[in-house]
Amino acid sequence: ISNLKLEHHVFLEPYTSDLAGYYKASDIFLLTSNYEGYGRVAVEAAAAGIPVVMTDVGVAIGKTVPVGDVTAIAGAIEKLLADTSGRAVILREQDAFLKTLPATRDLYLKSYAATLDLRRPKRLLMITQKMDLDDDVLGVYHRWVEGLATKFDSISVICLYRGRVEVPGNVVVYSLGKESGRSRLKYIWNFYKYIW
């Protein structure tokens, strides 16, 4: 930001769990990930009535552009700022997408679990950043594990950080130890030990 002399145009906001005001005060939501699974922030922006411009990764909504194509990103932003009818089309498409989503977290998890075609009991290894029922963002992984536990004989979860965990008896959660302040070397040691 300093190198490009953009201090008066680009602002880095501190962490907040309340993004509604930011969404409502925005003209466009931009997500330029190279990799994305399920971009919850894009869905939140769409729900707030903000047109989304994002790279064509994961569950992409709004105006999608190829990963790394700076010209396409800039063009999509300029077009949406100048073309009110184009904005209206994007917003209608986003609204239609939102209506296809399950109404509650439990319905979403049941719908996700139903997509798994598991003809015979299996073991599952899941590697994730955090297992914590109380985490506002990453707590969804805990819910996924709960749902998947009904479909597998056993699940082993390796996580970097373990918070509050309440999982069924066929689930074992292994932490690499970030919550206890272990060193990166210890993380690596634990990771290979658990994988073995």
Side-chain angles (χ1 to χ4, degrees), residues 52-124:
V52 174
V53 174
M54 68 180 290
T55 45
D56 188 13
V57 291
V59 179
I61 61 173
K63 175 63 179 167
T64 58
V65 296
V67 172
D69 191 338
V70 176
T71 304
I73 293 169
I77 293 169
E78 289 173 349
K79 185 173 181 185
L80 280 176
L81 289 174
D83 181 7
T84 54
S85 62
R87 287 173 65 88
V89 169
I90 294 285
L91 291 172
R92 278 195 302 274
E93 290 172 355
Q94 290 177 183
D95 192 47
F97 170 79
L98 292 173
K99 289 177 180 168
T100 68
L101 297 177
T104 67
R105 181 189 298 202
D106 288 339
L107 286 174
Y108 169 78
L109 292 171
K110 286 179 184 173
S111 175
Y112 176 75
T115 64
L116 300 174
D117 182 18
L118 304 174
R119 301 199 191 309
R120 60 185 172 86
K122 296 180 181 179
R123 296 181 305 156
L124 175 69

Side-chain angles (χ1 to χ4, degrees), residues 13 25 30 35 43 68 78 85 107 113 120 122 124 130 150 163 190:
E13 297 290 342
L30 180 63
Y35 308 95
V43 174
E78 289 173 349
S85 62
L107 286 174
R120 60 185 172 86
K122 296 180 181 179
L124 175 69
K130 191 175 196 180
T150 64
N190 283 340

Side-chain angles (χ1 to χ4, degrees), residues 8 11 29 31-33 56-57 73 92 96 115 124 160 180-181 194:
H8 300 294
F11 306 96
F29 177 82
L31 180 64
T32 59
S33 294
D56 188 13
V57 291
I73 293 169
R92 278 195 302 274
T115 64
L124 175 69
L160 180 61
S180 59
Y194 296 146

